[in-house]
Amino acid sequence: MKSPKPPYWASRFLKWFVSEDLQEEICGDLEEAYQFRRKHHSKLRADSEYLLDVIRFFRPYSFEKYSRTKQYLPMIKNYLTIAVRNMMKRKGFTFVNIAGLAISLTVVLIVGLFLRHHLTYDQSFDHADRIYRLENDYRSQAYAPFRFEQYYESDRSIQLKNKVFLESFSSIDKVSMILPSESDISQQREFMLREDGHDHIVKSVLFTSTPAEFTQMFLPGFLKGSSSGFENDFQRILLTRSLVKRFFGSDWYEMDLIGKPIELASDSFENNQFMVAGIIEDAPSSSHFSYDLIVSVPRIPSWAAYTYFQTSSSESPAYLTQLINSRYEEIEPNYLEDERYHGAYVQALTDIHLSDRPVLYELSEKIQPGVLILFALVALIILIISWANYTNLSIALYSRRQKEIGMRKVLGARGKDISLQLMTEIVIIAMMAFPISICIGYFVLPGFNKLMGIDIGNDVLWNPIVLLSVFGLALISGLISGLYPAIVFNRRGLLKLFQAKLNQRNGRYGLSLRQLLLGIQFVLLISMLSLTTFIYQQMQYISQKDLGFDSCGVLVIPTQGIEQHQRLKATLIQNPAINHVGTGQVPGVDQYNQTTYLLQGHDEVYDDAHVVYADMDAMKALGIDNQGLNQLESGQDQIHLINQAMANKLMNIYGLQKDELIGMTLVDEPEYTDPETGAVGIQRTIAGILPDIHFFSMRYEVNPMIFAVARNVGWAYNSIIELKTDDLLVETISQIEEAYYQSGNERPFTMEFLDENVANLYQSEKQTLMLITVLSLIAISLGFIGLMSLVSYLVFTRQKEIGIRKVFGASTSQILVLINKEFVVIVLIALLVATPIIYQLANSWLAHFAYRIQLNPLVFIGVGFISLVVVVILVSLQSRKSALSNPTTILSEE
């Protein structure tokens, strides 16, 4: 019968720390004691007491590692000394590696912060995991705001129906309704704030009719004042820290601002008088809605509100959607009978920013997860390139130190000592890159914020998690880059160390790894350069494509109403610098709600059309012309034009000719019946057909559109002004601003250039192009700097071969061809490998555009040719000196 053995792991731990001189005695005694206990006690007690005995022996006098450490301390000091000497001796090698690794760490740091910013969107709120947004699915579109029963005419009690309905569910604790002024459904974007005779322009105002719930769900605390002063009454204002500092100065905290009366000039609500209830922190930068001040009002000044609710516990959005729709007819009686109503949709707060669900009137631009993946891949590519450079240069450098390594082995150094020495040198260089990368990030981050339109504070760089992450990455980089050369030189025998160079052509290890690393580098570089080229071509295609209207020299100015617009128009039309002044909906905007329609005489109803309202002068200002507009000149009040997309659809479905469409009638919203006249829908007789106009982004196909053009409209939300020339632009704008206020507008004067609005539709793509371009340049620079350094070392290792070839009559050009041959083959293979990869990536990115370029194979050929030429030039320049050297000198040195 076998004797019982103590726990294996405890015995291994004991043998690990006990000195070899004491190991047999101590381990034997403890094992005998364990066997005695097993005979007289339970196994659990014997195991526990054995573990206590092991712990009692965990003392310095029994430590084997303690004595070893005392022996190794001088050796570690020696490793560090030799490492520093070698770095100082080879300053070029040290600089290239530290610079390359520091830059790559900085790229990973900046991109990592960018990813963190977007991946943590809306997570700074308390209980963010239990907050959801209620959206509305109507017709074939989804709406981020949830509409009121009577739209603009809804009083507070009607608006609160949605809130009361949601609170009737036992799992829902709170419901908040808001309207940020930056939303497209807001009647006013900017406001004039007046206090003590001073006027201030505020660009971001958030209205809420549920101040108590909003405070509890979204505000973490008050810098001054209290939540009760805001929650318990309306006509109260909360000011943010940055707004107060801008308006009242840096000593605002010493002022008595709580209870201060403030006027918020607007025609959106009846009472413009408010009172300051508190000062709060600025809105989180990673939130899908923002604000400079928050206003509590009895009713939301719009036809809908963004509705959020908080549950008692985290629930699945799909479950909540099903739960709410099970009783949806309580707030929408037509839900069960009318096919246009598709019910509610619940979106988790933390999913809004990264969601691929298209919704109308979103509060902030979403980011495609594919873009984040692309940036992460590019950062990884740059890091891999720096690792490859580091490893290649280390192998090349240590090949010149083989005799030194051989002598150390002769003098008694063990293989693991050699490996530890080499790893120490490489890791020290990697560690030196760590603080440099943090410093570079400190200076680069503000520019990156400006480029990407985000706000990441520099203080995040000193976050312990960020510092530890970068430090750990630097350490891993050193370990990965130094692992291979350390293993190779550890295993290499003495004769090989003294007889051969590791990087000679017949080298077993250096050749295959070097080619592999170089091949990976070129695959990544060619891929990045090709992708950047395709993105640039797509952006050029968008900027040069005919939009169907004129955007240059067109200003758009919000106005308060038709009377103000008419007075402004009467003044501006006399200005010789102005061509036309009109009003209506303008292109260069996000998509808005579609309408249903049918062709009179047919029953099929479609819901894919947009209706554009404008007056005749607006069409002239936009350069949109059609013979049907002549009817307005002849005295007709209104005409209706359709675009080519709608004409094609109707012709294909009903077999009509283009000329036959003129004079036919479309019935807009056929489900609507006028209660007074009994007329069905809105009758729109087709007066002409316009070419397709890219009213929205080219990410979307041009849908059917109806242009309702009037000679004189009965409403106006803006004034569209076409300038004759850009000359004296500042003076003309000053005259427009003066006329704006003289026409009775009380809102702050704001204007937008239409061409800038169109360009802003592709802001995220431009940011992607710019960032990818910068990162590509960094990757290319790192790759070719590493290549130049590597070639210089490789040429050095082949000097004897070059000398012998020259003795036998080889010319300089033949030597250069010989050296370039290997690199040319690697580039060609890399091009073949990179082509299918980049083809898939480019197609994936272009898939977001309805109007896109075709991938041209010449781009791959061009990028490959450019890469080949650059490589040949760099290799030839680095090799030329050795190729021109006197072979006698080379061979005598060898």
Side-chain angles (χ1 to χ4, degrees), residues 19 23 59 172 189 251 361 371 635 638 677 708 734 748 807 859 875:
S19 173
Q23 194 173 103
R59 305 287 177 85
I172 296 178
R189 294 293 183 92
D251 58 344
Y361 311 118
V371 174
Q638 188 179 48
T677 64
S734 178
V807 168
V859 171
V875 173

Side-chain angles (χ1 to χ4, degrees), residues 331-595:
I331 55 173
E332 183 49 70
N334 297 322
Y335 172 57
L336 298 177
E337 301 174 0
D338 197 328
E339 295 181 354
R340 294 175 299 163
Y341 296 91
H342 301 292
Y345 183 89
V346 176
Q347 180 93 322
L349 178 70
T350 53
D351 292 342
I352 291 174
H353 186 61
L354 296 175
S355 171
D356 58 357
R357 168 177 157 89
V359 295
L360 301 180
Y361 311 118
E362 186 56 87
L363 292 175
S364 65
E365 186 174 4
K366 298 181 179 181
I367 190 166
Q368 295 291 334
V371 174
L372 299 182
I373 294 173
L374 176 62
F375 288 159
L377 286 176
V378 172
L380 181 61
I381 286 172
I382 291 176
L383 188 62
I384 291 174
I385 289 174
S386 70
W387 287 351
N389 278 345
Y390 206 173
T391 303
N392 265 336
L393 291 177
S394 299
I395 294 173
L397 175 65
Y398 294 140
S399 69
R400 300 177 60 181
R401 295 174 57 189
Q402 290 188 99
K403 292 182 180 179
E404 171 198 334
I405 296 170
M407 288 300 299
R408 294 187 63 186
K409 283 193 172 184
V410 169
L411 295 176
R414 295 173 296 178
K416 63 180 181 180
D417 296 329
I418 299 296
S419 297
L420 185 58
Q421 172 66 59
L422 301 182
M423 289 292 292
T424 300
E425 295 180 14
I426 295 176
V427 170
I428 287 176
I429 291 177
M431 290 297 97
M432 292 175 68
F434 162 65
I436 297 175
S437 66
I438 297 296
C439 293
I440 297 175
Y442 182 85
F443 292 103
V444 168
L445 190 55
F448 179 80
N449 284 335
K450 185 177 180 180
L451 170 66
M452 302 305 295
I454 58 178
D455 182 20
I456 302 176
N458 275 354
D459 55 332
V460 74
L461 295 174
W462 316 120
N463 186 304
I465 296 178
V466 174
L467 291 174
L468 285 174
S469 299
V470 180
F471 179 84
L473 186 59
L475 180 62
I476 292 172
S477 299
L479 294 175
I480 290 177
S481 303
L483 185 61
Y484 182 81
I487 292 175
V488 168
F489 285 102
N490 178 10
R491 295 180 177 179
R492 203 159 180 80
L494 282 175
L495 291 179
K496 290 184 178 180
L497 286 171
F498 284 107
Q499 290 178 355
K501 290 183 172 62
L502 188 63
N503 276 322
Q504 283 182 326
R505 178 167 290 276
N506 61 351
R508 179 183 172 189
Y509 295 97
L511 178 63
S512 60
L513 178 69
R514 174 164 51 80
Q515 287 183 331
L516 176 62
L517 292 178
L518 281 175
I520 292 174
Q521 280 183 283
F522 284 123
V523 168
L524 299 177
L525 290 174
I526 291 172
S527 298
M528 288 190 64
L529 192 56
S530 300
L531 181 60
T532 303
T533 303
F534 286 128
I535 295 176
Y536 174 78
Q537 288 182 342
Q538 175 65 16
M539 297 311 298
Q540 287 294 107
Y541 171 79
I542 289 174
S543 63
Q544 296 173 5
K545 184 173 175 57
D546 181 17
L547 301 176
F549 62 91
D550 296 334
S551 61
C552 294
V554 178
L555 294 178
V556 182
I557 300 174
T559 54
Q560 288 183 223
I562 186 62
E563 294 180 2
Q564 288 83 355
H565 164 71
Q566 288 175 343
R567 286 195 290 265
L568 178 62
K569 177 179 179 179
T571 302
L572 295 182
I573 205 65
Q574 300 175 24
N575 192 318
I578 295 175
N579 268 339
H580 299 99
V581 180
T583 185
Q585 292 171 281
V586 292
V589 296
D590 289 329
Q591 282 192 327
Y592 52 83
N593 52 295
Q594 296 171 346
T595 187

Side-chain angles (χ1 to χ4, degrees), residues 709-778:
V709 186
R711 187 172 53 179
N712 294 300
V713 296
W715 48 264
Y717 298 120
N718 61 27
S719 294
I720 304 170
I721 304 169
E722 181 193 8
L723 304 179
K724 287 184 179 179
T725 176
D726 288 341
D727 296 340
L728 303 175
L729 181 61
V730 175
E731 181 180 346
T732 303
I733 291 176
S734 178
Q735 294 169 353
I736 293 174
E737 181 176 4
E738 182 180 355
Y740 173 83
Y741 286 115
Q742 290 176 352
S743 64
N745 287 289
E746 295 182 356
R747 298 178 181 176
F749 174 77
T750 58
M751 66 175 187
E752 297 173 339
F753 286 94
L754 185 56
D755 55 352
E756 292 181 0
N757 286 354
V758 173
N760 287 337
L761 292 176
Y762 313 102
Q763 186 64 27
S764 61
E765 285 80 9
K766 291 180 181 178
Q767 292 170 343
T768 300
L769 173 61
M770 182 63 69
L771 185 58
I772 292 295
T773 301
V774 172
L775 295 179
S776 296
L777 291 175
I778 292 174

Side-chain angles (χ1 to χ4, degrees), residues 19-267:
S19 173
E20 292 180 358
D21 298 336
L22 303 174
Q23 194 173 103
E24 182 177 356
E25 181 180 356
I26 293 176
C27 293
D29 289 347
L30 291 187
E31 189 168 338
E32 290 178 4
Y34 177 81
Q35 293 171 358
F36 176 80
R37 291 168 183 148
R38 281 293 304 273
K39 290 180 181 179
H40 299 86
H41 305 289
S42 66
K43 182 178 183 302
L44 177 62
R45 179 174 176 179
D47 290 348
S48 302
E49 293 187 4
Y50 181 83
L51 178 59
L52 289 175
D53 290 339
V54 170
I55 294 174
R56 291 190 188 101
F57 274 101
F58 195 69
R59 305 287 177 85
Y61 67 82
S62 62
F63 285 179
E64 179 182 29
K65 299 294 185 261
Y66 179 73
S67 58
R68 289 180 184 176
T69 301
K70 290 192 295 183
Q71 298 172 7
Y72 282 145
L73 284 177
M75 189 176 296
I76 293 174
K77 181 180 179 181
N78 181 54
Y79 289 161
L80 295 175
T81 302
I82 294 175
V84 172
R85 287 176 181 172
N86 283 320
M87 286 189 294
M88 297 302 295
K89 183 178 179 181
R90 299 170 176 85
K91 295 183 179 66
F93 166 82
T94 304
F95 173 78
V96 169
N97 276 318
I98 292 179
L101 189 55
I103 292 173
S104 63
L105 288 176
T106 303
V107 169
V108 174
L109 169 64
I110 297 297
V111 172
L113 292 176
F114 176 76
L115 297 178
R116 176 177 175 269
H117 173 79
H118 286 287
L119 294 174
T120 58
Y121 238 73
D122 293 312
Q123 294 183 15
S124 60
F125 301 114
D126 292 340
H127 311 300
D129 60 326
R130 295 193 280 121
I131 299 177
Y132 306 84
R133 185 172 72 184
L134 185 66
E135 299 174 357
N136 183 31
D137 289 347
Y138 181 65
R139 293 174 177 155
S140 58
Q141 294 176 299
Y143 293 73
F146 205 86
R147 73 176 184 86
F148 301 130
E149 183 178 342
Q150 296 183 15
Y151 295 92
Y152 284 108
E153 305 302 322
S154 303
D155 58 21
R156 175 171 174 78
S157 61
I158 294 176
Q159 288 189 357
L160 289 181
K161 277 187 176 181
N162 297 339
K163 179 177 184 294
V164 173
F165 168 71
L166 290 174
E167 289 176 338
S168 66
F169 292 93
S170 59
S171 58
I172 296 178
D173 292 339
K174 302 179 182 70
V175 180
S176 178
M177 299 192 299
I178 67 171
L179 174 67
S181 63
E182 296 173 336
S183 168
D184 287 338
I185 70 170
S186 175
Q187 296 178 331
Q188 186 173 343
R189 294 293 183 92
E190 298 185 0
F191 295 81
M192 187 74 75
L193 186 149
R194 296 190 175 99
E195 50 84 25
D196 291 341
H198 301 287
D199 291 349
H200 310 283
I201 295 177
V202 183
K203 294 185 176 181
S204 182
V205 178
L206 185 145
F207 297 96
T208 178
S209 59
T210 56
E213 290 81 358
F214 178 81
T215 302
Q216 296 164 17
M217 292 170 63
F218 295 109
L219 297 184
F222 282 64
L223 300 175
K224 206 170 184 180
S226 65
S227 59
S228 60
F230 181 72
E231 294 177 0
N232 299 330
D233 207 347
F234 297 115
Q235 304 302 120
R236 298 294 185 265
I237 281 183
L238 298 180
L239 307 176
T240 57
R241 179 199 291 267
S242 60
L243 187 75
V244 172
K245 186 176 181 180
R246 189 165 76 244
F247 290 170
F248 301 102
S250 57
D251 58 344
W252 62 269
Y253 199 82
E254 306 299 328
M255 298 180 181
D256 187 16
L257 297 177
I258 306 303
K260 185 179 182 65
I262 283 181
E263 179 184 353
L264 198 63
S266 173
D267 53 358

